[in-house]
Amino acid sequence: MSWFRTVVIKSFTKHSCPSKFTSFPRTPFVSLMNFSSEPTHEAKKSSEIVQYSGLGPTRPNEKPRVVVLGSGWAGCRLMKGLDTDVYDVVCVSPRNHMVFTPLLASTCVGTLEFRSVAEPIGRIQPSISTAPGSYFFLANCKGIDTEEHVVHCETMTDGADNLPPWSFKISYDKLVIASGAEASTFGINGVKEHAIFLREVSHAQEIRRKLLLNLMLSDVPGISEEEKKRLLHCVVIGGGPTGVEFSGELSDFIIKDVHERYSHVKDYINVTLIEANEILSSFDVRLRQYAMRQLTKSGVRLVRGVVKDVQSHKIILDDGSEVPYGLLVWSTGVGPSPFIRSLEFPKSPGGRVGIDEWLRVPSVEDVFAIGDCGGFLESTGKQVLPALAQVAERQGKYLSGLLNRIGKDGRGRANSLGGIDLGDPFVYKHLGSMATVGRYKALVDLRQSQDTKGLALAGFASWFIWRSAYLTRVISWRNRFYVAVNWATTFVFGRDISRI
Amino acid sequence: MSWFRTVVIKSFTKHSCPSKFTSFPRTPFVSLMNFSSEPTHEAKKSSEIVQYSGLGPTRPNEKPRVVVLGSGWAGCRLMKGLDTDVYDVVCVSPRNHMVFTPLLASTCVGTLEFRSVAEPIGRIQPSISTAPGSYFFLANCKGIDTEEHVVHCETMTDGADNLPPWSFKISYDKLVIASGAEASTFGINGVKEHAIFLREVSHAQEIRRKLLLNLMLSDVPGISEEEKKRLLHCVVIGGGPTGVEFSGELSDFIIKDVHERYSHVKDYINVTLIEANEILSSFDVRLRQYAMRQLTKSGVRLVRGVVKDVQSHKIILDDGSEVPYGLLVWSTGVGPSPFIRSLEFPKSPGGRVGIDEWLRVPSVEDVFAIGDCGGFLESTGKQVLPALAQVAERQGKYLSGLLNRIGKDGRGRANSLGGIDLGDPFVYKHLGSMATVGRYKALVDLRQSQDTKGLALAGFASWFIWRSAYLTRVISWRNRFYVAVNWATTFVFGRDISRI
């Protein structure tokens, strides 16, 4: 046969790709954290990982390099704004996409599809996948050597069978820490094991799969009435916007889809929202009351309580009462991640990386921190800003402008900022808050702070504003199109219940 | 606060849902396989699983019950056609949706989205989620007691933390075995551990995640040239329509999307298709040659070889050559599943459940087998039909008509078929085969068999026929809409590369 040939793949022709990767000498280095410069035992065993290498310092004929840690609102907005004629951009993140978090709760029940709220970084900053000196590395940062202007990273190889993670380092001219925060558990036992957070697409996928599984299992013969009620009891901890929006979506799903498609078990499913203080505490008091009425009307039980312990089938509140659950979603705000805690920079109140008014880490050269992981130092006299997408995005935008100016001034290289005039400091102006509560109702609070007056709306008009506002904020045209299409098909055909 | 109340969830009000579930006495029963009627140790421990219960025999005031094992082409087409005024329908399957298999290969690279090819059973036969006597049970069938007209099942609780699977039984009036086949591995070592099949949505998801992971990892510093080539070597075993279509999709993805979005590593990625005999052996010889030319032009290496051993990073062919791979997709046809092998019915050549011309299992009463798990007994003088969606769908349609007639004759109950005239036997007429080969090209072979003459086309027109034909075959309007939308956005925006 003409097509038949034996290919011994080992003898692939060599590609003539000029490699930019430099191997570093394995000398000891000053690090801000305990970081082993030696490859791990597994990595050593594996002959494929040749050496502890990485991207060396930029040479005079190359553009200066901005290294961005993280791919959330702050990091992505920054990368979008960076002038790639001036800089090479290297992003280090354990995920290759940004999550459009305000719409994430809608994906848990299928109102929107997962991919409609995930934006690949290459779509936000195309240079990262095409420019010769710009890269995206699927990895976690493990340590920062500010003396040497180097970050130490380890690949994220989850899912790659038998491929041990390996370490590498990247020299930076400017470093932006935008690695976000992590969900708070307040040290409560069992939260990480049994509850699902709602911060990543994988969390939403897990919630959706579990909800559908419980709906199906509860219909199988041999299950007791009590167990059926437990399986179909969805408990949400935390009455912030995420918890409230998820509860609203869930009750929409129950009212419309469960009643139609799981009619055998529809009378067993319940949603309980547990909050220690006020729900939606940052909103105007009338909006809060409206939200409570709406949620209650949709069948969500609002319970005031403090969780003491989380077990595999039930949670224990501080008054001793036990709440059996089949699905437990945990959304009680965020705190500093282990990586941020490990950094020995001066911290802001609350343990974030301390920054000045220009978002710099003032104790070292060329390091900035934005988003949920950075907070104003007490010495600035400014309050730490809330962990909101709005804040992160504004900071990313501000810093991209600042870095572009610096780069165009010829100060893009490492250690060349001395004495520069950075211009206006970053000032945050709150544009307002929004939250849906289900059944085509939402809250829109346009006050700049809790003490000022301003427009505060609730109802269908607000819901329309909510949808329109977020639709225009979705980053790519592709996803904007898909969000609109998903909303339309959910309205016409209902939510998809395939458990895939 | 008005909304504040303590809810001790344990004291839920009792719902007055009349339960149809009967508990069976735990008497020994005659079974076709070793099946423990005792709950497992774990199930016993768990107080929630009250007893070994299930759906008892139908009573005179109830409709007769058709139990369908499986939710593939055969089972779903059958359920769609069953007259639910005549029968109650109970489906037992480990997945709650049907996969539109001809388009599954397209989802591995994002040409289509996963949910566009998954059809929830409730959308195919709405009664199953609403009628009081019809059910879908997420479970595997473990044994059939044809004497007692009972199937023994075990729930599929994967993903339900700490919830052990439990057993239950269902009495049937008519039983349809449509549980499909399983991928053949020919006893080759390591296939199940290291290769990914391409039969379920979860397989396509795994392929997509792994492909994107390998693309990203191969760009990280510290990886050797050899390892980079290995990671980006996609090997497909099996040159049937699935293997060829997947190879074509993969090369489309590489030519269009990898070159644009992973330009650092685009010269390292390769696709190899390994087949022991001819690719697309059921197609006209000119079409086969066309397919080979097209695939080669798209950069797919066609290798004739027999796999001897599969290891974690390489496969060994029978001539001793080693083929390193980063992604291994296995698509070499199907054979009887362990469940089918465990059934002690007379078998057809090839080990399927033996059936007569009316798709009955003739040795017992009221049992039928359709799709890939059933095959004509040698005594019928007919050949076992190929494992094709087309065959399965036609059999499902035929059997739904037959069962509806039987039911309307008042013979729907167990053991009431004696002496009935079943009418015309099932006759299969092949309508032809289609396969895409990538780059807007496809093959359409409308010959009824390999020896007859008929229309055989290849090229863009065939591709257009291929797309149009499958678009009309997609079962629901929702998915038809989404398939069209996915195709359009892939054309305009390219494929989505978020690794979620």
Side-chain angles (χ1 to χ4, degrees):
Chain A
M1 295 297 296
S2 65
W3 64 274
F4 173 74
R5 59 197 169 104
T6 304
V7 177
V8 179
I9 313 280
K10 275 200 156 170
S11 64
F12 276 166
T13 50
K14 289 269 177 212
H15 296 275
S16 55
C17 272
S19 174
K20 285 201 49 171
F21 300 147
T22 323
S23 42
F24 289 84
R26 285 211 197 125
T27 51
F29 54 88
V30 185
S31 167
L32 284 170
M33 59 175 298
N34 296 327
F35 180 83
S36 158
S37 69
E38 291 291 313
T40 59
H41 179 61
E42 286 80 9
K44 260 191 204 158
K45 258 194 347 198
S46 161
S47 64
E48 294 86 6
I49 312 306
V50 280
Q51 57 213 342
Y52 187 55
S53 57
L55 296 178
T58 52
R59 279 163 284 190
N61 61 340
E62 293 172 341
K63 294 179 218 166
R65 182 185 300 141
V66 178
V67 173
V68 182
L69 307 181
S71 58
W73 279 94
C76 284
R77 185 61 189 81
L78 171 85
M79 288 189 276
K80 187 182 175 192
L82 279 180
D83 186 341
T84 50
D85 290 336
V86 175
Y87 289 108
D88 280 334
V89 182
V90 174
C91 177
V92 176
S93 173
R95 60 169 200 220
N96 79 339
H97 56 275
M98 175 195 148
V99 182
F100 193 83
T101 43
L103 297 180
L104 188 61
S106 301
T107 66
C108 300
V109 295
T111 310
L112 292 178
E113 283 311 327
F114 302 117
R115 277 174 199 277
S116 308
V117 304
E119 208 71 74
I121 297 167
R123 221 187 268 149
I124 296 170
Q125 176 48 272
S127 284
I128 218 144
S129 36
T130 52
S134 291
Y135 294 95
F136 169 77
F137 295 139
L138 191 76
N140 286 301
C141 181
K142 293 290 185 177
I144 303 172
D145 181 348
T146 53
E147 287 291 311
E148 297 287 328
H149 275 55
V150 160
V151 288
H152 297 278
C153 307
E154 188 179 83
T155 54
M156 218 283 301
T157 55
D158 116 273
D161 315 338
N162 302 317
L163 195 62
W166 67 91
S167 302
F168 60 97
K169 48 187 184 177
I170 311 167
S171 297
Y172 60 82
D173 290 299
K174 309 288 174 216
L175 174 67
V176 182
I177 307 172
S179 56
E182 71 163 17
S184 306
T185 63
F186 308 107
I188 297 166
N189 200 25
V191 177
K192 284 201 175 133
E193 292 78 5
H194 305 299
I196 310 178
F197 300 117
L198 187 41
R199 297 170 45 76
E200 301 285 348
V201 172
S202 59
H203 298 148
Q205 288 172 321
E206 195 182 345
I207 291 170
R208 189 161 173 188
R209 282 180 63 82
K210 188 150 191 177
L211 184 62
L212 293 173
L213 181 68
N214 289 354
L215 277 163
M216 288 186 281
L217 286 181
S218 62
D219 200 18
V220 176
I223 199 162
S224 69
E225 291 285 295
E226 197 186 357
E227 177 71 348
K228 199 186 273 200
K229 277 180 228 153
R230 178 188 76 76
L231 273 179
L232 294 180
H233 189 211
C234 307
V235 176
V236 183
I237 311 291
T242 305
V244 166
E245 292 198 337
F246 174 67
S247 305
E249 287 284 350
L250 204 50
S251 65
D252 279 357
F253 175 66
I254 292 168
I255 291 166
K256 187 167 158 60
D257 301 272
V258 173
H259 277 239
E260 258 177 40
R261 295 162 200 202
Y262 294 97
S263 59
H264 301 122
V265 296
K266 65 180 191 296
D267 297 324
Y268 291 84
I269 191 163
N270 278 296
V271 183
T272 301
L273 174 61
I274 300 179
E275 162 64 49
N277 301 301
E278 301 281 338
I279 69 162
L280 298 174
S281 56
S282 66
F283 281 76
D284 182 276
V285 62
R286 284 168 309 130
L287 297 189
R288 284 209 300 266
Q289 284 164 350
Y290 177 85
M292 288 176 215
R293 278 199 309 277
Q294 278 298 320
L295 289 172
T296 310
K297 221 189 270 179
S298 308
V300 177
R301 295 166 217 248
L302 298 169
V303 175
R304 179 170 289 183
V306 175
V307 177
K308 214 177 63 185
D309 189 33
V310 177
Q311 298 172 10
S312 69
H313 288 196
K314 64 185 176 194
I315 54 177
I316 318 286
L317 300 185
D318 63 348
D319 63 0
S321 58
E322 299 188 349
V323 185
Y325 68 84
L327 174 73
L328 180 62
V329 174
W330 194 271
S331 168
T332 58
V334 295
S337 67
F339 170 66
I340 294 299
R341 287 200 300 269
S342 78
L343 297 174
E344 290 179 6
F345 299 122
K347 296 289 166 68
S348 76
R352 303 185 187 187
V353 172
I355 50 175
D356 67 11
E357 292 95 324
W358 293 271
L359 313 182
R360 286 182 302 188
V361 179
S363 53
V364 291
E365 279 281 293
D366 299 321
V367 180
F368 302 81
I370 54 178
D372 296 355
C373 65
F376 288 123
L377 286 162
E378 262 182 301
S379 57
T380 63
K382 291 190 165 193
Q383 277 209 310
V384 172
L385 295 170
L388 293 176
Q390 208 176 142
V391 174
E393 199 200 9
R394 225 73 63 72
Q395 291 185 332
K397 188 178 175 189
Y398 169 85
L399 188 57
S400 67
L402 181 61
L403 288 176
N404 288 344
R405 271 207 317 283
I406 290 171
K408 282 172 189 155
D409 272 8
R411 308 260 206 153
R413 302 273 160 204
N415 299 311
S416 59
L417 281 180
I420 194 176
D421 172 22
L422 292 175
D424 292 333
F426 174 75
V427 177
Y428 176 66
K429 194 171 155 239
H430 188 65
L431 288 183
S433 312
M434 299 192 286
T436 51
V437 291
R439 300 171 90 192
Y440 309 112
K441 301 284 191 300
L443 320 175
V444 174
D445 187 346
L446 298 180
R447 300 171 308 149
Q448 278 187 33
S449 80
Q450 290 197 40
D451 314 317
T452 56
K453 287 211 181 291
L455 195 62
L457 293 171
F460 178 77
S462 302
W463 176 84
F464 194 79
I465 294 172
W466 177 87
R467 281 217 163 170
S468 314
Y470 280 130
L471 193 58
T472 61
R473 305 298 295 160
V474 170
I475 287 150
S476 68
W477 279 103
R478 181 197 177 278
N479 280 6
R480 203 168 297 153
F481 174 72
Y482 267 110
V483 167
V485 164
N486 290 163
W487 277 338
T489 56
T490 294
F491 187 77
V492 176
F493 301 109
R495 294 166 181 85
D496 188 50
I497 56 162
S498 305
R499 183 169 180 269
I500 57 173
Chain B
M1 296 297 297
S2 65
W3 63 273
F4 173 74
R5 59 196 170 103
T6 304
V7 177
V8 179
I9 313 280
K10 275 200 155 169
S11 64
F12 277 165
T13 50
K14 289 270 177 210
H15 297 274
S16 56
C17 273
S19 174
K20 286 201 48 172
F21 300 147
T22 324
S23 43
F24 289 84
R26 286 212 196 122
T27 51
F29 54 88
V30 185
S31 168
L32 284 171
M33 59 176 297
N34 296 328
F35 180 83
S36 158
S37 69
E38 292 291 313
T40 59
H41 179 61
E42 286 80 9
K44 259 190 204 159
K45 260 194 344 198
S46 160
S47 64
E48 293 87 6
I49 312 306
V50 280
Q51 58 212 341
Y52 187 56
S53 57
L55 296 178
T58 51
R59 279 163 286 192
N61 60 340
E62 294 172 341
K63 294 179 220 167
R65 181 185 301 141
V66 178
V67 173
V68 182
L69 307 180
S71 58
W73 279 95
C76 285
R77 185 62 189 82
L78 171 86
M79 287 189 277
K80 187 182 175 193
L82 279 180
D83 186 341
T84 51
D85 290 337
V86 176
Y87 290 108
D88 280 334
V89 182
V90 174
C91 177
V92 176
S93 173
R95 61 169 201 221
N96 79 339
H97 55 275
M98 176 196 147
V99 182
F100 193 83
T101 43
L103 297 180
L104 187 60
S106 301
T107 66
C108 299
V109 294
T111 311
L112 292 178
E113 284 310 327
F114 302 117
R115 277 173 199 277
S116 308
V117 304
E119 208 71 74
I121 298 168
R123 221 187 268 148
I124 295 170
Q125 176 49 271
S127 284
I128 218 144
S129 36
T130 52
S134 291
Y135 294 95
F136 169 76
F137 295 139
L138 192 76
N140 286 301
C141 181
K142 293 290 185 177
I144 303 171
D145 181 348
T146 53
E147 286 291 311
E148 297 288 329
H149 275 54
V150 160
V151 288
H152 298 278
C153 307
E154 188 179 82
T155 53
M156 218 284 300
T157 56
D158 117 273
D161 316 338
N162 302 317
L163 195 61
W166 68 90
S167 301
F168 60 97
K169 48 187 184 176
I170 311 167
S171 297
Y172 61 82
D173 289 299
K174 308 288 174 216
L175 174 67
V176 182
I177 307 172
S179 56
E182 71 164 16
S184 306
T185 63
F186 308 107
I188 297 166
N189 200 25
V191 177
K192 283 200 175 133
E193 292 78 5
H194 306 298
I196 310 177
F197 300 117
L198 187 41
R199 297 170 45 77
E200 301 285 349
V201 172
S202 60
H203 298 148
Q205 288 172 320
E206 196 183 345
I207 291 170
R208 189 162 173 187
R209 282 180 64 81
K210 189 150 190 178
L211 184 62
L212 293 173
L213 181 68
N214 289 354
L215 276 164
M216 288 186 281
L217 286 182
S218 62
D219 200 18
V220 176
I223 198 162
S224 69
E225 292 284 294
E226 197 187 357
E227 177 70 349
K228 199 186 271 199
K229 277 180 229 154
R230 177 188 76 76
L231 274 178
L232 294 180
H233 190 211
C234 307
V235 176
V236 183
I237 311 290
T242 305
V244 166
E245 292 198 338
F246 174 67
S247 304
E249 287 285 350
L250 204 50
S251 64
D252 279 358
F253 175 66
I254 292 168
I255 291 166
K256 186 167 157 61
D257 300 273
V258 173
H259 277 238
E260 259 177 39
R261 294 161 200 202
Y262 294 97
S263 59
H264 301 122
V265 296
K266 65 179 192 296
D267 298 325
Y268 291 84
I269 190 162
N270 279 295
V271 183
T272 301
L273 174 61
I274 300 179
E275 163 64 49
N277 301 302
E278 301 281 337
I279 69 163
L280 298 174
S281 56
S282 67
F283 281 76
D284 181 275
V285 62
R286 283 168 309 130
L287 297 189
R288 285 209 299 266
Q289 283 164 351
Y290 177 86
M292 288 176 214
R293 277 199 309 276
Q294 278 298 320
L295 289 172
T296 310
K297 221 189 270 180
S298 309
V300 177
R301 294 166 217 250
L302 298 169
V303 174
R304 180 170 288 183
V306 175
V307 177
K308 213 176 65 184
D309 189 33
V310 177
Q311 298 172 9
S312 68
H313 288 197
K314 64 185 177 195
I315 54 177
I316 318 285
L317 300 185
D318 63 348
D319 63 0
S321 57
E322 299 188 349
V323 184
Y325 68 84
L327 174 73
L328 180 62
V329 174
W330 194 271
S331 168
T332 57
V334 294
S337 67
F339 170 66
I340 294 299
R341 287 200 299 269
S342 78
L343 297 174
E344 290 180 6
F345 299 122
K347 297 288 166 68
S348 76
R352 304 185 186 187
V353 172
I355 50 175
D356 67 11
E357 293 95 325
W358 293 271
L359 313 182
R360 287 183 302 188
V361 178
S363 53
V364 291
E365 278 282 293
D366 298 321
V367 180
F368 303 80
I370 54 178
D372 296 355
C373 66
F376 288 124
L377 285 163
E378 264 183 299
S379 57
T380 62
K382 291 189 166 194
Q383 277 208 309
V384 172
L385 295 170
L388 293 176
Q390 207 177 142
V391 174
E393 199 200 10
R394 225 73 63 72
Q395 290 185 333
K397 188 178 175 190
Y398 169 86
L399 188 57
S400 67
L402 180 61
L403 288 176
N404 288 344
R405 271 206 318 283
I406 290 171
K408 282 172 189 156
D409 272 7
R411 309 259 206 153
R413 301 272 161 205
N415 299 311
S416 59
L417 281 180
I420 193 176
D421 172 22
L422 292 175
D424 293 332
F426 174 75
V427 178
Y428 176 66
K429 193 170 155 240
H430 189 65
L431 288 183
S433 312
M434 298 192 287
T436 51
V437 291
R439 301 171 91 193
Y440 309 111
K441 301 285 191 299
L443 320 175
V444 174
D445 186 346
L446 299 180
R447 300 171 308 151
Q448 278 188 34
S449 79
Q450 291 197 39
D451 313 317
T452 55
K453 288 210 181 291
L455 195 62
L457 293 171
F460 178 77
S462 302
W463 176 83
F464 194 79
I465 294 172
W466 177 87
R467 280 217 164 169
S468 315
Y470 280 130
L471 193 58
T472 61
R473 304 299 294 161
V474 170
I475 287 151
S476 69
W477 279 103
R478 181 197 177 279
N479 280 6
R480 204 168 296 153
F481 174 72
Y482 267 110
V483 166
V485 163
N486 290 163
W487 277 338
T489 57
T490 294
F491 187 77
V492 176
F493 301 108
R495 294 167 180 85
D496 188 51
I497 56 161
S498 305
R499 183 168 180 269
I500 57 172

